[in-house]
Amino acid sequence: MSATLRLCVLCLMLLVARGHQGDGAEKLEGQQSSAANSSAGVPLLTAANREFAFRLYRSLAAQPDSRGKNVFFSPLSVSVALAALAVGARGETHQQLFRGLGLSNTSLSQAQVDQAFQSLFEQTRRTSSQVTREGTAVFVDHLFKAQPGFLHTLKQSYFADGFAVDFSKSSESTDTINKYVKEKTSGKIDKLVKDLDPSTVMYLISYIYFKGKWESPFDPDLTQEDVFTVDEETKVPVQMMNLERRFETYHDQTVNTSVLRLPFNSSHSMLLLLPEHMAQLEQALSPAHISKWLKWMKSRTFNVYVPKFSIKTSASLKDVLTEMGMADMFGDRADLTGISEGGRLSVSEVVHQATLDVDEAGATAAAATGIGITLFSFHHVPVLKFDRPFMVIITEHSTESILFLGKITNPKI
């Protein structure tokens, strides 16, 4: 039996306290500086990440078990996890990861991708450390000899925390991983790992945390119970927030979608997309649409209604990534000799978890809902009411990164 490398993508938007290392654990003391030209590949990397985001969204939304359910994830965190894995991949396995991530069309080498991610991490820490936290962690069996170069790149470019564990003691190693995750998420996710394959030698986690406060908060006194229409047969009660002021909006006739921008008091924004036909928007949506909306949005007064809710999503990405052309890493054809040459390695699973909380003060996750437009009041203030399925995108302005992307089909599940 070959040893297994478990890749866990932990994508979260939560109120997170500063994490601490577990007692007795071995930490990779990461170097924070980068080479002078490390940011040269950032525009190419972020462009590839944006394209990957929508391809991954369409694959997730098309899964049979996604029908009628919320779809919510962090494409940036998935990209980080797979790029970190690619550091140790070789041959066709590496080529599949690069093609799947859209990096093979950028002319970037693995080293340049690593440097670009390092620049993104450093920029995030400089400009928005109060609202975002991104990083990775690698848990390595104490008897497993990983390539020093692999671990060095993870700590330097991906800001990885490193831990030595004994995977033969399944309960203890599970507790160690879950303790780390619990600290990073302020207890929101305390049982990420339920059981470990006895042949596991490494567990790689990528996480992202975001907590944003609205630039113009909703007034809690105006929040009232309302109805959210999931489909023709299903309606659910929601607490509907309300705010009337000037908003930036755009109506895109090419995809029959109204777009509302809700700015946070940081360099981030939430875009809420209400399409006439969700399937049409899902199939057509691309980075070019985002650029067009942000460029041509106009400011005017609207009476906006957005549901207050909390959702949690969990999904295995193994089948999705296989369908996207990244199959070899999961089987006998896996070439992960850049991680270790001592025995065959393969990825046993890729797990993604995400949470979203939206309230009057802001968002500890990303969310969106439907939009209905009518005339309201003597002043003819149009109404944007998110009371049916909608999409949501959270972006960061300076890097143009898509941190979170999803579809809120039912805010009650």
Side-chain angles (χ1 to χ4, degrees):
M1 179 183 296
S2 62
T4 61
L5 168 69
R6 185 165 294 190
L7 180 65
C8 177
V9 182
L10 175 62
C11 308
L12 301 157
M13 302 182 75
L14 301 167
L15 177 58
V16 179
R18 183 176 296 277
H20 301 282
Q21 304 308 314
D23 294 338
E26 175 185 342
K27 184 182 179 183
L28 300 173
E29 301 293 343
Q31 177 181 337
Q32 304 300 309
S33 62
S34 62
N37 64 345
S38 64
S39 61
V42 170
L44 293 174
L45 176 64
T46 53
N49 285 344
R50 288 193 296 270
E51 293 286 353
F52 173 74
F54 294 111
R55 287 191 290 112
L56 180 56
Y57 172 82
R58 280 189 281 272
S59 295
L60 284 169
Q63 296 301 302
D65 58 358
S66 293
R67 293 172 185 168
K69 295 183 179 179
N70 301 316
V71 176
F72 180 70
F73 68 104
S74 170
L76 180 60
S77 191
V78 178
S79 296
V80 168
L82 295 178
L85 178 68
V87 172
R90 299 291 184 268
E92 178 62 20
T93 302
H94 186 272
Q95 293 176 29
Q96 287 183 6
L97 285 166
F98 254 47
R99 285 196 299 268
L101 289 169
L103 296 172
S104 58
N105 298 324
T106 64
S107 74
L108 294 174
S109 66
Q110 179 68 54
Q112 290 171 321
V113 169
D114 299 337
Q115 290 177 346
F117 269 119
Q118 181 176 347
S119 292
L120 285 176
F121 281 129
E122 289 174 341
Q123 183 169 347
T124 296
R125 295 190 173 198
R126 287 195 306 269
T127 62
S128 57
S129 59
Q130 299 303 310
V131 295
T132 60
R133 180 190 299 158
E134 303 168 39
T136 58
V138 59
F139 298 81
V140 183
D141 188 83
H142 69 299
L143 297 179
F144 179 71
K145 302 302 181 183
Q147 295 278 28
F150 173 74
L151 296 179
H152 175 76
T153 299
L154 288 193
K155 76 174 182 182
Q156 178 170 306
S157 295
Y158 297 88
F159 294 80
D161 290 333
F163 303 86
V165 297
D166 184 355
F167 281 115
S168 68
K169 299 178 179 178
S170 178
S171 178
E172 291 182 11
S173 53
T174 296
D175 288 345
T176 298
I177 297 173
N178 284 336
K179 178 182 178 181
Y180 177 86
V181 173
K182 184 176 181 178
E183 289 174 344
K184 289 295 182 182
T185 63
S186 284
K188 292 285 187 173
I189 294 183
D190 57 356
K191 292 183 180 179
L192 176 70
V193 181
K194 296 181 180 178
D195 56 70
L196 287 169
D197 189 308
S199 59
T200 298
V201 294
M202 183 178 292
Y203 208 108
L204 176 63
I205 292 174
S206 168
Y207 65 86
I208 181 171
Y209 151 76
F210 173 86
K211 179 177 176 61
K213 294 184 178 180
W214 304 123
E215 186 178 275
S216 297
F218 290 81
D219 184 350
D221 292 337
L222 298 180
T223 300
Q224 297 182 350
E225 185 168 316
D226 208 328
V227 174
F228 188 95
T229 302
V230 177
D231 53 41
E232 293 181 357
E233 292 80 29
T234 308
K235 298 180 186 293
V236 296
V238 295
Q239 289 295 306
M240 193 70 76
M241 304 181 299
N242 177 224
L243 179 63
E244 181 180 322
R245 73 167 189 80
R246 295 187 70 85
F247 292 94
E248 289 187 335
T249 64
Y250 185 83
H251 183 75
D252 193 332
Q253 295 183 347
T254 63
V255 287
N256 295 316
T257 297
S258 294
V259 183
L260 171 69
R261 176 175 174 263
L262 291 177
F264 296 101
N265 60 358
S266 63
S267 61
H268 302 78
S269 292
M270 176 184 285
L271 298 179
L272 301 181
L273 321 179
L274 183 67
E276 291 295 327
H277 305 287
M278 181 63 75
Q280 178 188 9
L281 175 63
E282 289 179 315
Q283 291 302 313
L285 192 58
S286 71
H289 288 97
I290 309 300
S291 299
K292 178 176 69 172
W293 298 338
L294 293 176
K295 179 179 180 180
W296 295 107
M297 278 185 166
K298 301 298 182 183
S299 178
R300 64 174 298 186
T301 300
F302 280 94
N303 194 17
V304 166
Y305 293 84
V306 178
K308 176 180 177 179
F309 62 94
S310 297
I311 63 169
K312 181 176 182 178
T313 62
S314 178
S316 170
L317 300 184
K318 182 175 181 179
D319 291 343
V320 170
L321 296 177
T322 297
E323 292 171 1
M324 294 177 68
M326 294 172 274
D328 280 9
M329 64 179 173
F330 296 111
D332 294 339
R333 299 171 62 88
D335 185 349
L336 299 174
T337 50
I339 296 177
S340 175
E341 294 180 346
R344 179 177 293 173
L345 295 175
S346 64
V347 176
S348 61
E349 64 178 19
V350 179
V351 177
H352 179 101
Q353 292 193 20
T355 66
L356 167 62
D357 303 298
V358 174
D359 60 22
E360 291 88 353
T364 358
T369 191
I371 184 173
I373 302 176
T374 62
L375 294 179
F376 179 79
S377 85
F378 175 77
H379 299 289
H380 303 291
V381 177
V383 174
L384 302 182
K385 192 168 187 179
F386 294 82
D387 58 356
R388 57 185 174 88
F390 60 96
M391 289 187 66
V392 60
I393 303 172
I394 289 186
T395 64
E396 200 282 322
H397 304 161
S398 61
T399 62
E400 299 183 355
S401 295
I402 296 177
L403 274 64
F404 294 88
L405 172 63
K407 172 178 61 175
I408 307 304
T409 301
N410 186 342
K412 300 296 287 186
I413 60 174

